[in-house]
């Protein structure tokens, strides 16, 4: 299995996973990058499309891709997307050419948001998490509650540490600048910021990133850590438990420039 991040729009990634003959894509907000890749690989058939949530920058290419390829679409059972799709919920499984995918419900960014986890043979696992988890950050709470997002992130954080986290946006550097404001003495975070800065200087993606790295550097996975919680409470003294601390952390990030 080969994993590729296709850039789209200003900062989206459309993830493409392929064998020698078959491909799937995740969250194709734009059909053009996918169709261009397919033209360059005429022996590969696009036969599956995964969708994490209903936002247009994740679904805008579906109609054209389905019309041109006939690929089956699998997405959130609790949201509407613009083509016929197989609805998936927590605990649902499906197979793609011998690769077994697990579905996780991760509400917060949207109410029906889902993620996909799979373990390719002799490779590290992959997680397609849409806009729930970003490197160094998490999605905005457009529909869900802080409690829902905290629970969603807890469940993602419990996956194997070598999981390759495939986020849908290149938000890493801005997220890490905020993370350094929250936790300036975190040496793992400092090192990761330097590494990602070098990657972006060469126009390379900072993703995928190992989940174990995110556990060490992402304040939204670390909101219960003493240093992170103390920093949040200096901003908002009303952050007195896990949920209110997480909510205050997310609000701090919303206002960060």
């Amino acid at each position: 299995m080969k994993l590729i991040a296709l850039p789209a729009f200003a900062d989206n990634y459309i993830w493409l996973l392929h064998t020698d003959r078959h491909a799937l894509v995740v969250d194709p907000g734009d059909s053009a990058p996918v169709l261009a890749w397919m033209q360059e690989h005429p022996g590969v058939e696009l036969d599956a499309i995964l969708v994490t949530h209903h936002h247009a920058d994740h679904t805008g290419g579906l109609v054209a891709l389905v019309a041109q390829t006939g690929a089956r679409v699998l997405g959130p059972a609790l949201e509407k997307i613009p083509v016929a799709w197989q609805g998936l919920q927590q605990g649902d499984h499906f197979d793609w050419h011998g690769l077994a995918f697990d579905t996780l419900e991760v509400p917060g960014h949207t109410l029906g948001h889902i993620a996909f986890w799979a373990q390719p043979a002799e490779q590290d696992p992959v997680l397609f998490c849409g806009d729930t988890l970003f490197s160094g950050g998490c999605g905005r709470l457009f529909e869900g509650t802080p409690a829902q997002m905290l629970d969603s992130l807890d469940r993602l954080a419990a996956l194997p540490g070598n999981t390759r986290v495939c986020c849908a946006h290149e938000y890493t550097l801005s997220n890490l600048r905020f993370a350094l404001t929250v936790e300036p003495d975190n040496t793992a975070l400092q090192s990761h910021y330097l590494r990602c800065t070098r990657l972006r200087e060469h126009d390379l993606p900072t993703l995928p990133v190992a989940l174990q790295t995110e556990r060490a550097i992402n304040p939204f996975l670390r909101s219960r850590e003493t240093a992170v919680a103390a920093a949040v409470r200096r901003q908002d003294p009303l952050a007195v438990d896990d949920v209110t601390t997480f909510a205050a952390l997310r609000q701090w990030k919303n206002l960060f420039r």
Side-chain angles (χ1 to χ4, degrees):
M1 296 285 178
K2 297 178 181 178
L3 180 66
I4 298 171
L6 299 177
F9 307 123
D11 52 33
N12 282 66
Y13 288 129
I14 301 169
W15 290 95
L16 186 148
L17 190 64
H18 72 99
T19 67
D20 291 337
R21 296 175 53 194
H22 304 281
L24 69 75
V25 294
V26 185
D27 286 346
D30 184 2
S31 63
V34 179
L35 294 173
W37 189 92
M38 300 301 296
Q39 288 183 338
E40 295 170 0
H41 300 80
V44 181
E45 174 193 7
L46 177 67
D47 57 7
I49 301 172
L50 310 184
V51 178
T52 63
H53 65 292
H54 65 84
H55 288 163
D57 63 321
H58 296 252
T59 63
L62 287 174
V63 172
L65 289 176
V66 170
Q68 294 202 39
T69 68
R72 67 169 174 157
V73 178
L74 303 99
L78 302 179
E79 297 190 357
K80 297 292 186 183
I81 61 175
V83 295
W85 81 104
Q86 179 181 342
L88 299 173
Q89 296 180 276
Q90 176 69 34
D92 286 342
H93 310 280
F94 63 93
D95 179 272
W96 179 74
H97 302 291
L99 180 60
F101 279 88
D102 295 339
T103 306
L104 300 94
E105 289 185 350
V106 286
H109 183 66
T110 67
L111 286 176
H113 202 304
I114 60 174
F116 304 95
W117 184 90
Q119 170 71 78
E122 300 180 359
Q123 294 182 9
D124 289 337
V126 291
L127 171 68
F128 299 115
C129 52
D131 288 356
T132 296
L133 175 63
F134 297 127
S135 186
C138 74
R140 286 180 179 265
L141 304 182
F142 288 126
E143 298 176 11
T145 66
Q148 286 176 313
M149 181 64 98
L150 179 59
D151 180 68
S152 294
L153 293 175
D154 283 345
R155 284 185 283 116
L156 294 183
L159 294 169
N162 63 334
T163 296
R164 291 172 285 172
V165 179
C166 301
C167 319
H169 290 274
E170 183 58 73
Y171 291 163
T172 305
L173 289 186
S174 62
N175 286 338
L176 295 181
R177 285 191 286 271
F178 172 71
L180 284 166
T181 300
V182 176
E183 204 174 6
D185 297 327
N186 183 329
T187 57
L189 174 56
Q190 295 166 3
S191 297
H192 190 62
Y193 179 72
L194 292 176
R195 173 183 173 273
C196 291
T197 298
R198 289 193 293 268
L199 288 170
R200 295 309 295 155
E201 286 172 350
H202 293 87
D203 201 30
L204 295 172
T206 61
L207 305 165
V209 58
L211 181 59
Q212 59 199 5
T213 298
E214 289 303 305
R215 292 175 188 155
I217 62 96
N218 190 324
F220 294 95
L221 300 185
R222 297 171 57 79
S223 61
R224 298 180 183 87
E225 295 290 329
T226 300
V228 175
V232 172
R233 287 172 189 140
R234 286 193 291 271
Q235 295 289 317
D236 184 352
L238 297 180
V240 295
D241 57 27
D242 289 351
V243 173
T244 55
T245 298
F246 181 85
L249 179 65
R250 182 61 257 185
Q251 180 61 16
W252 185 7
K253 177 62 168 66
N254 291 346
L255 301 175
F256 181 78
R257 296 292 181 269

